[in-house]
């Protein structure tokens, strides 16, 4: 059984190695999440240190999925926005280790992220993902609306161009 938890600064820092393992697993598996191959734990650590700093500044929420006490998935919600966007947040880096996929962790992580976003007064969430990726289907099944596709927006870890699909979701009353 898995558990979804919101991590604080101290726990994020204490678990940087586990977080790095999740990111490395996803990048090595070909996910277009901002990093290029080859990619190892030493490459991932600075990214997670930056996330920890954002968690400490209450700019980012970091949710972790654990199985047997080990982090196997994460999602972030960027809650600090410009003054004219206090109602909006950005969902970032939904990551689930390849060995853990198909067990509902992405759905559980997103449900926790959405619930906390509502609790914090957010009514619109946005995200982007690689066009044609399995994540696209996940987001559609979870009620996200496709806003559009930008061709050649990013690169896959192997250097190939990657189109990106943007999604949004209204939360609560959403008006």
């Amino acid at each position: 059984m898995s558990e979804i938890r919101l991590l604080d600064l101290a726990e994020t820092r204490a678990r940087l190695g586990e977080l790095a393992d999740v990111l490395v697993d996803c990048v090595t598996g070909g996910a277009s999440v901002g990093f290029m191959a080859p990619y190892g734990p030493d490459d991932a650590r600075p990214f997670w240190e930056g996330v920890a700093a954002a968690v400490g500044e209450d700019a980012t929420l970091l949710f972790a999925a654990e199985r047997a006490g080990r982090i196997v998935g994460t999602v972030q919600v960027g809650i600090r926005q410009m003054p004219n966007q206090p109602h909006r947040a950005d969902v970032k880096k939904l990551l689930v280790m390849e060995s853990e996929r198909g067990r509902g962790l992405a759905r559980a992580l997103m449900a926790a992220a959405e619930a906390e976003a509502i609790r914090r007064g957010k009514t619109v969430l946005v995200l982007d993902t690689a066009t044609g990726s399995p994540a696209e289907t996940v987001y559609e099944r979870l009620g996200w609306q496709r806003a559009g596709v930008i061709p050649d927006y990013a690169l896959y870890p192997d250097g190939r161009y990657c189109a990106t699909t943007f999604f949004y979701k209204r939360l609560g009353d959403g008006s």
Side-chain angles (χ1 to χ4, degrees):
M1 178 150 212
S2 61
E3 178 183 5
I4 307 297
R5 294 190 314 103
L6 179 60
L7 302 184
D8 64 15
L9 174 60
E11 191 166 14
T12 300
R13 284 186 174 154
R15 301 184 80 181
L16 289 174
E18 291 174 66
L19 293 164
D21 289 345
V22 172
L23 182 55
V24 168
D25 181 80
C26 292
V27 173
T28 301
S32 177
V33 292
F35 305 99
M36 304 301 290
Y39 195 78
D42 290 340
D43 301 310
R45 196 169 182 91
F47 169 76
W48 287 112
E49 288 168 349
V51 171
V55 167
E57 296 168 1
D58 202 29
T60 296
L61 306 174
L62 175 60
F63 295 87
E66 296 178 327
R67 186 174 305 281
R70 182 125 181 105
I71 295 175
V72 296
T74 68
V75 70
Q76 299 168 53
V77 181
I79 57 172
R80 184 180 295 157
Q81 299 295 333
M82 296 301 291
N84 71 337
Q85 301 168 28
H87 60 289
R88 186 176 73 75
D90 298 318
V91 174
K92 305 180 277 189
K93 305 278 187 280
L94 175 61
L95 305 168
V96 175
M97 294 184 92
E98 198 166 352
S99 63
E100 300 294 325
R101 294 181 189 158
R103 298 180 182 184
L105 293 179
R107 177 181 295 275
L109 284 162
M110 291 298 288
E114 290 176 20
E116 185 64 18
I118 289 169
R119 193 181 80 68
R120 292 179 183 241
K122 304 302 181 179
T123 57
V124 176
L125 296 180
V126 297
L127 62 80
D128 66 85
T129 193
T131 304
S133 71
E136 258 192 310
T137 304
V138 169
Y139 298 131
E140 289 170 341
R141 286 183 185 155
L142 295 178
W144 287 73
Q145 301 298 310
R146 181 185 304 263
V149 175
I150 299 176
D152 300 340
Y153 184 81
L155 299 174
Y156 287 107
D158 65 8
R160 292 177 295 128
Y161 283 102
C162 172
T164 297
T165 304
F166 288 81
F167 286 91
Y168 71 93
K169 187 171 189 179
R170 292 184 180 272
L171 304 175
D173 68 2
S175 53

